[in-house]
Amino acid sequence: MAPSMRDLQLTAVNGAAADDMEDIRLLDSYEDRTEENLLRNEEGMNRIQVRITGMTCAACSTSVEGALMAVNGVVKASVALLQNKADVVFDPNSVKHEDIKNAIEDAGFEAEILTKPCSSGSKPHKIQLGQFTIGGMTCAACVNSVEGILRDLHGVKRAVVALATALGEVEYDSTVISKDDIINAIEAAGFEGSFVQSSEQDKIVLGVTGVFYQLDVQFLEGILINLKGVRQFRFDRTSGELEVLFDPEVVSSRSLVDGIEGGSNGKFKLHVMNPYARMTSRNIEEASNMFRQFSSSLFLSIPVFFIRVICPHIPLLDALLLWRCGPFLMGDWLKWALVSVVQFVIGKRFYIAAGRALRNGSTNMDVLVALGTSASYFYSVGALLYGAVTGFWSPTYFETSAMLITFVLLGKYLECLAKGKTSDAIKKLVELTPATALLVVKDKGGKCIEEREIDALLIQPGDTLKVLPGTKLPADGVVVWGTSYVNESMVTGESVPVSKEINSLVIGGTINLHGALQIQATKVGSDAVLSQIISLVETAQMSKAPIQKFADYVASIFVPTVVAMSLLTLLGWYIGGVIGAYPEEWLPENSNYFVFALMFSISVVVIACPCALGLATPTAVMVATGVGANNGVLIKGGDALERGQQVKYVVFDKTGTLTQGKATVTTAKVFVRMDRGEFLMLVASAEASSEHPLGRAIVEYARHFHFFDDPSVNQNATNHKTESTVSGWLHDVSNFSALPGRGVQCSINGKGVLVGNRKLMTESGITIPTHVENFVVELEESAETGILVAYDNNLIGVLGVADPLKREAVVVVEGLVKMGVRPVMVTGDNWRTARAVAKEVGIQDVRAEVMPAGKADVIRSFQKDGSVVAMVGDGINDSPALAAADVGMAIGAGTDIAIEAADYVLMRSNLEDVITAIDISRKTFHRIRLNYVFAMAYNVIAIPVAAGVFFPSLGIILPPWAAGACMALSSVSVVCSSLLLRRYKKPRLTTILEITVE
């Protein structure tokens, strides 16, 4: 049955933004960061992503990139062959989305504009980000073509396509173009397109059970028509999927589901379709379809091979096949009929893809397969017809065409299975999300009146959810009732369970171990930490490493070169035979010089494999980013991996990176007649508005002194700057200002207060007595920081603050040295403290008293000789240095800005992951080089063998069907080589340091 449709009024809708969850900093600003990072050097530019269908090799992607770059106004175009996605940066004043899409379509590929997952609390947008599946892409050239098609669509802002996942991400203006228009454009280009998900908060896709008859469909339609807020809906009875467009200001997604189920009196049961699960099912369906095609081809090819090889040795069957039926023998009729089905029914996909590529002025693997099989098939048909007319019967090679198609389909099937393994990291992350949640319904007085199970994808910010022991937390939120321990290892990598109590923050997907909890959801959908990690991994897997440009160039000229070599082979062997350059005895029985030369020519065409070159880099990058995520290291793409394996210097920020970032006050000495408590209250009042870790340590120390309680109590409240911890006992402060690299200043009771270092005191004209200077020097030589305090233009006291080193800092520094990487420490602290800390951790190269802006200058000083420099930091003041470094590594518990500027995110905040990040990069590029060596060596060796170069001396001949088998397995071998990265194990520090553990 065709999907039914009811169209109601469509209007623009605004939605409310989700609440912030301050302390879960990881990837909080990812939605805006992706575009900002790409466009930060191209102000005024727009960026779109497209899924492309029909690419089969690197030649396809290069073709699409070329078509895109030829569009006036396109600044940058990048196509990801494996992910079937393309990314384009362009000037919106010169290029429209439709122009970009038309360029891809003109290149002969299908495309689809992609969007991100929906969040009930996402920001209002007219520009939507959609995700689409694109079927029919076979190589990089197809990817490039589809990206061009999508970017040419009017209203499409950005499109990126990835071959490996057959996905396209498209940013489009929903007021100009709809997702159906995008799908139609893809299908019009000859590819298969379907919608997966989008950022539109007014759309939902539901799975419906209970619909069996046409009356049920009409009943469902009647319920939807009568529901307030429903604008448009479409039900596909075949798949059982219901797509609803609704007004979120009138009805929520959860109310919509409740309304449908309630209106049917329980007849219909609905569940939200998980977009990632839908994509997985499509991937499985694609692999199953490829297996069916392979099985059908094999089923028809075996009799053909049997007739050619086995039957001549069985007298009865041989006699039957030699029975003349009309102008041909029975055996010829059978082979012709069977192979025709294989060639034009099962092998139709190769003709379609090849025609699409040629129509757009590009060539790919499908062109080679179509040429090779067509040459073999039509020669055999011509030989039969010629024999019927003249009586001279030449040998036929129907089995060559059939076996060639069979082996190519086998390779495609194995490739589908292998590609599916490369996305295991995302699948594992998706599986962390629970399917359902227990919603707690309360009355106005806050009393629980009902608990009911809902779909986890229907959770809204502000919902109160009950989490039972042993179950997964369904959303990011705050504990409002209960205490328990939560296993957060699947997100943070830390194996030790974390204690949770009221006001503690929790992360969706983590496991509640012991007591029952009630949490209030704060971030759901794409705003959740887990969803942002998935998005980051997806984006990284779509990126291209610079080394891939070489493969794309080779792929762009590969097919024409191979076709030329095939023609030269044909002419060489044929002319050589005619002029007597080789004996006639070399010819097969009943053959001639042309047929003999044609077999070599066909072998050359079918054995060449551009796919292996196109898959060498993206498959390795996909696996590496997944492996990194599983080991607590988020890698932002192939370019980050390429730079990471070349790192020569690693620059560490001191506070919060080498140290724990949990500074504690060790000493408080007053040098004037002032009560110690009043001194601490004065300093705490000044530092209460400071963001610096030392300032927070001073406030906590003073609070502990004032109230005589445990400093760890209300730690969460301290982190959140809860009013109760900083008000009621502190002085009123005015004229507060933070002075980077020096300290803070303010006014209390009309008198000036300065809290900071020597530089602040000197600049303010405060004299530091000798005995105070000596006391500060003693602190600094003990690796402590001396904080000087002045009140009313007089120095009144000193605080000693210590920030302990992270336990792994020393061995990590030593490990980097063993790996040939030179560690450097940079800090705004004074030289004495810096040298003491550096000596303790084992770093020889130190830069101290560096202002925040000066850290980037330190990075540049090491880059002057062309060295690759990595920067490891966690704070806002580290972001310029992270951006200036060749490789930025942000501590996962650090600030959003630092994470945004980095190339690697160390989720566990463990310095050992610096070694892991560098090691993964080195292992990945070692694997990429091996892939290229294999792919190049295969073609360099295989093509001469197929051309018969070694036949005169060694008698080696490669039949076309065998050449097809080699071609099919070559790309599979490259993918399997990349999959070996899944066996990656983090390096043991004992191994790096050559320590013997007894």
Side-chain angles (χ1 to χ4, degrees):
M1 173 186 173
S4 61
M5 178 70 98
R6 296 289 184 272
D7 292 326
L8 306 179
Q9 184 178 4
L10 297 177
T11 58
V13 179
N14 292 331
D19 294 336
D20 290 334
M21 186 163 64
E22 280 188 18
D23 278 17
I24 295 187
R25 300 178 180 273
L26 180 62
L27 307 178
D28 276 357
S29 59
Y30 177 74
E31 179 181 351
D32 298 326
R33 177 169 70 252
T34 303
E35 182 171 336
E36 179 184 338
N37 279 349
L38 189 69
L39 301 181
R40 58 189 172 190
N41 294 324
E42 295 126 354
E43 292 187 9
M45 298 294 107
N46 281 1
R47 176 175 175 253
I48 59 173
Q49 281 192 338
V50 187
R51 178 182 299 127
I52 306 174
T53 304
M55 297 188 298
T56 57
C57 64
C60 301
S61 61
T62 303
S63 172
V64 177
E65 283 186 356
L68 290 171
M69 292 305 296
V71 177
N72 184 31
V74 172
V75 176
K76 178 180 178 182
S78 175
V79 179
L81 171 64
L82 266 182
Q83 289 81 4
N84 296 327
K85 292 183 181 180
D87 186 278
V88 181
V89 178
F90 64 97
D91 183 354
N93 297 322
S94 304
V95 182
K96 303 300 181 185
H97 293 175
E98 187 173 347
D99 299 331
I100 296 174
K101 180 175 182 292
N102 290 338
I104 298 179
E105 289 177 342
D106 291 342
F109 298 90
E110 298 174 5
E112 185 176 13
I113 311 295
L114 301 182
T115 60
K116 293 288 183 183
C118 171
S119 167
S120 57
S122 59
K123 299 177 183 178
H125 287 290
K126 289 184 179 178
I127 301 300
Q128 304 295 343
L129 190 59
Q131 198 170 59
F132 301 80
T133 57
I134 305 174
M137 295 189 297
T138 55
C139 69
C142 304
V143 172
N144 294 336
S145 296
V146 175
E147 284 184 342
I149 293 169
L150 291 175
R151 292 165 186 170
D152 284 342
L153 286 175
H154 180 59
V156 172
K157 306 293 184 185
R158 175 174 65 89
V160 177
V161 176
L163 176 62
T165 56
L167 287 177
E169 286 188 358
V170 182
E171 188 177 333
Y172 63 98
D173 187 344
S174 58
T175 63
V176 177
I177 188 172
S178 69
K179 64 180 181 59
D180 292 327
D181 296 330
I182 296 170
I183 293 173
N184 292 336
I186 295 171
E187 293 177 344
F191 297 90
E192 299 172 2
S194 64
F195 171 74
V196 177
Q197 59 187 342
S198 78
S199 60
E200 293 179 90
Q201 58 181 350
D202 56 354
K203 286 186 180 179
I204 188 171
V205 180
L206 303 167
V208 184
T209 57
V211 178
F212 303 105
Y213 309 105
Q214 180 62 30
L215 288 176
D216 295 332
V217 175
Q218 296 174 356
F219 183 31
L220 177 62
E221 290 176 352
I223 295 172
L224 288 164
I225 291 172
N226 293 322
L227 280 177
K228 291 183 178 180
V230 175
R231 297 169 170 173
Q232 186 183 72
F233 64 85
R234 179 171 58 191
F235 178 70
D236 186 343
R237 186 174 174 184
T238 304
S239 63
E241 290 187 3
L242 172 65
E243 182 180 311
V244 183
L245 181 70
F246 61 95
D247 186 347
E249 293 185 350
V250 178
V251 62
S252 67
S253 57
R254 190 162 70 217
S255 299
L256 180 66
V257 171
D258 292 341
I260 297 173
E261 291 183 343
S264 68
N265 294 321
K267 176 177 176 60
F268 302 137
K269 296 296 181 183
L270 283 72
H271 63 277
V272 182
M273 300 295 292
N274 188 309
Y276 294 104
R278 293 168 66 204
M279 285 189 290
T280 300
S281 64
R282 287 191 178 99
N283 293 337
I284 294 174
E285 183 180 351
E286 181 185 1
S288 299
N289 181 54
M290 195 62 66
F291 180 74
R292 285 194 299 271
Q293 291 189 38
F294 161 68
S295 300
S296 300
S297 181
L298 181 64
F299 178 76
L300 295 173
S301 299
I302 287 177
V304 177
F305 188 79
F306 191 79
I307 291 171
R308 177 65 182 265
V309 178
I310 306 299
C311 289
H313 302 285
I314 304 176
L316 181 62
L317 292 177
D318 188 44
L320 179 63
L321 294 174
L322 292 176
W323 177 51
R324 183 169 295 278
C325 183
F328 308 124
L329 301 178
M330 179 59 68
D332 293 330
W333 281 114
L334 288 175
K335 288 190 291 183
W336 192 355
L338 291 171
V339 174
S340 294
V341 175
V342 175
Q343 184 77 22
F344 300 110
V345 179
I346 299 174
K348 178 179 66 174
R349 65 189 308 274
F350 298 110
Y351 283 104
I352 293 174
R356 183 167 55 231
L358 294 173
R359 187 172 63 250
N360 292 283
S362 63
T363 53
N364 57 22
M365 184 204 71
D366 296 300
V367 173
L368 295 180
V369 174
L371 279 175
T373 57
S374 297
S376 177
Y377 176 84
F378 287 110
Y379 161 76
S380 299
V381 171
L384 285 179
L385 296 176
Y386 183 78
V389 174
T390 65
F392 178 78
W393 299 95
S394 299
T396 60
Y397 295 93
F398 283 116
E399 69 281 353
T400 295
S401 176
M403 295 303 293
L404 175 57
I405 290 176
T406 300
F407 279 120
V408 172
L409 291 174
L410 172 61
K412 285 293 179 185
Y413 169 65
L414 295 176
E415 195 174 309
C416 284
L417 295 180
K419 286 180 180 178
K421 294 294 184 181
T422 63
S423 58
D424 279 354
I426 292 179
K427 293 177 184 175
K428 290 178 181 178
L429 289 170
V430 172
E431 290 170 357
L432 294 178
T433 307
T436 60
L438 198 58
L439 177 67
V440 178
V441 182
K442 298 182 178 181
D443 59 18
K444 294 181 179 179
K447 183 179 179 180
C448 176
I449 59 176
E450 180 189 1
E451 292 180 3
R452 63 188 181 96
E453 190 174 77
I454 63 170
D455 195 306
L457 295 176
L458 295 176
I459 297 173
Q460 299 169 353
D463 282 346
T464 299
L465 308 168
K466 185 174 182 179
V467 186
L468 300 175
T471 61
K472 296 176 181 177
L473 278 82
D476 294 354
V478 180
V479 176
V480 295
W481 177 88
T483 59
S484 182
Y485 283 86
V486 175
N487 180 4
E488 297 182 343
S489 61
M490 61 286 300
V491 177
T492 66
E494 294 293 344
S495 59
V496 179
V498 181
S499 175
K500 300 295 180 181
E501 54 188 20
I502 294 177
N503 292 330
S504 294
L505 300 175
V506 293
I507 304 173
T510 57
I511 300 175
N512 180 27
L513 297 179
H514 300 300
L517 294 173
Q518 284 188 12
I519 68 169
Q520 185 177 52
T522 56
K523 293 191 175 182
V524 299
S526 61
D527 290 329
V529 170
L530 190 58
S531 295
Q532 292 177 19
I533 293 174
I534 293 172
S535 296
L536 182 57
V537 173
E538 278 189 318
T539 302
Q541 291 183 342
M542 288 184 61
S543 68
K544 283 187 177 183
I547 193 174
Q548 192 174 339
K549 293 179 181 178
F550 167 73
D552 291 343
Y553 170 73
V554 173
S556 66
I557 62 172
F558 188 86
V559 175
T561 302
V562 169
V563 172
M565 293 175 65
S566 174
L567 292 175
L568 289 175
T569 301
L570 175 65
L571 292 174
W573 280 102
Y574 177 69
I575 295 174
V578 171
I579 65 175
Y582 57 87
E584 190 175 345
E585 288 75 17
W586 285 6
L587 301 179
E589 185 179 356
N590 296 327
S591 185
N592 56 53
Y593 292 119
F594 176 77
V595 174
F596 186 59
L598 181 63
M599 290 302 101
F600 285 116
S601 178
I602 293 174
S603 294
V604 170
V605 169
V606 300
I607 202 170
C609 184
C611 295
L613 284 170
L615 294 171
T617 296
T619 52
V621 170
M622 280 192 71
V623 177
T625 51
V627 167
N630 291 337
N631 285 278
V633 179
L634 295 182
I635 306 167
K636 296 186 180 178
D639 52 346
L641 281 167
E642 183 160 350
R643 293 193 302 270
Q645 54 99 26
Q646 300 171 336
V647 169
K648 183 177 180 180
Y649 294 93
V650 173
V651 179
F652 291 96
D653 176 53
K654 180 178 76 72
T655 304
T657 303
L658 287 174
T659 64
Q660 296 178 13
K662 299 177 182 178
T664 56
V665 176
T666 59
T667 306
K669 190 164 184 177
V670 184
F671 294 99
V672 297
R673 295 193 178 206
M674 178 183 286
D675 180 77
R676 181 183 175 89
E678 176 61 25
F679 169 75
L680 291 175
M681 188 181 300
L682 190 75
V683 180
S685 300
E687 290 284 4
S689 299
S690 174
E691 293 283 345
H692 198 281
L694 300 185
R696 294 198 297 268
I698 292 171
V699 173
E700 177 63 17
Y701 181 82
R703 186 191 61 79
H704 172 53
F705 183 89
H706 186 81
F707 291 105
F708 297 101
D709 61 2
D710 184 349
S712 65
V713 176
N714 295 328
Q715 185 175 3
N716 288 332
T718 300
N719 292 337
H720 281 88
K721 302 175 184 64
T722 306
E723 288 296 325
S724 61
T725 65
V726 296
S727 62
W729 62 282
L730 297 177
H731 297 297
D732 292 331
V733 173
S734 61
N735 302 322
F736 173 86
S737 62
L739 306 172
R742 289 169 290 175
V744 300
Q745 66 180 14
C746 64
S747 295
I748 296 177
N749 298 327
K751 298 179 180 180
V753 178
L754 300 173
V755 182
N757 56 21
R758 293 183 185 85
K759 188 174 183 179
L760 176 61
M761 299 299 152
T762 302
E763 290 177 352
S764 304
I766 305 298
T767 302
I768 304 176
T770 303
H771 65 284
V772 176
E773 174 66 21
N774 293 337
F775 180 76
V776 173
V777 170
E778 289 179 10
L779 292 174
E780 293 171 346
E781 289 178 346
S782 301
E784 296 183 21
T785 301
I787 306 296
L788 293 86
V789 182
Y791 180 60
D792 195 19
N793 294 322
N794 294 308
L795 198 148
I796 62 173
V798 173
L799 292 161
V801 181
D803 188 1
L805 286 174
K806 290 181 178 178
R807 61 183 181 181
E808 72 275 9
V810 175
V811 291
V812 167
V813 168
E814 188 176 351
L816 288 171
V817 174
K818 292 284 188 179
M819 295 172 68
V821 178
R822 182 177 172 184
V824 180
M825 188 183 81
V826 60
T827 178
D829 217 332
N830 63 84
W831 276 100
R832 287 192 186 89
T833 302
R835 288 194 185 100
V837 172
K839 182 178 180 181
E840 187 177 352
V841 80
I843 293 179
Q844 303 295 323
D845 202 338
V846 183
R847 301 290 189 274
E849 297 181 0
V850 178
M851 298 290 286
K855 293 181 180 179
D857 294 330
V858 173
I859 298 293
R860 297 186 188 100
S861 68
F862 288 108
Q863 294 173 327
K864 288 181 179 179
D865 62 351
S867 298
V868 176
V869 181
M871 170 69 189
V872 186
D874 70 327
I876 293 176
N877 60 348
D878 294 328
S879 56
L882 288 169
D886 300 291
V887 180
M889 297 185 183
I891 300 297
T895 62
D896 299 338
I897 297 176
I899 291 172
E900 180 180 332
D903 300 295
Y904 293 77
V905 179
L906 312 182
M907 295 168 59
R908 302 187 311 159
S909 302
N910 191 317
L911 290 179
E912 291 181 20
D913 290 338
V914 174
I915 289 179
T916 301
I918 295 174
D919 189 61
I920 287 177
S921 300
R922 291 180 176 181
K923 294 283 198 315
T924 301
F925 266 79
H926 175 70
R927 181 60 54 183
I928 289 174
R929 292 186 186 98
L930 285 179
N931 287 349
Y932 277 126
V933 168
F934 176 81
M936 294 297 294
Y938 164 81
N939 285 289
V940 168
I941 296 173
I943 292 177
V945 171
V949 171
F950 301 104
F951 179 71
S953 58
L954 302 176
I956 298 176
I957 189 171
L958 197 64
W961 66 266
C966 293
M967 185 272 286
L969 294 176
S970 63
S971 58
V972 176
S973 300
V974 168
V975 176
C976 291
S977 171
S978 295
L979 286 175
L980 291 176
L981 285 171
R982 296 175 67 209
R983 302 173 61 186
Y984 173 83
K985 300 294 183 183
K986 294 176 63 174
R988 293 184 177 182
L989 289 176
T990 52
T991 303
I992 296 175
L993 302 178
E994 300 176 352
I995 299 174
T996 303
V997 180
E998 296 183 358

